[in-house]
Amino acid sequence: MESLEARVVELEVKAAFQEDLLETLNEIVTRQEQQIDLLQKQLKALYQQMQSQGQSGASDGNPRHEIPPHY
């Protein structure tokens, strides 16, 4: 009978560890999702900035036509 009780206790311990691991992984995935959303917003803003610079004629996108800041 002790063997059965020990097996049940072992299963309960494993289940508790798995629950903790799932909670940790869920937190990590949530944090990564927030980071991805932020990066997408930043990329979109950068893309829009580049588009507006291209339309305003500030630069044709060729670095040879840009004057370095030290001149």
Side-chain angles (χ1 to χ4, degrees), residues 9-44:
V9 168
E10 183 180 345
L11 288 173
E12 289 175 343
V13 169
K14 285 183 178 181
F17 279 120
Q18 287 179 351
E19 287 177 13
D20 183 55
L21 178 62
L22 283 174
E23 183 66 30
T24 302
L25 290 174
N26 187 42
E27 291 172 5
I28 291 170
V29 169
T30 301
R31 191 169 47 243
Q32 287 179 339
E33 183 180 15
Q34 292 169 349
Q35 290 172 341
I36 289 170
D37 289 342
L38 176 62
L39 289 171
Q40 286 177 332
K41 288 177 185 176
Q42 290 173 339
L43 181 62
K44 184 177 180 180

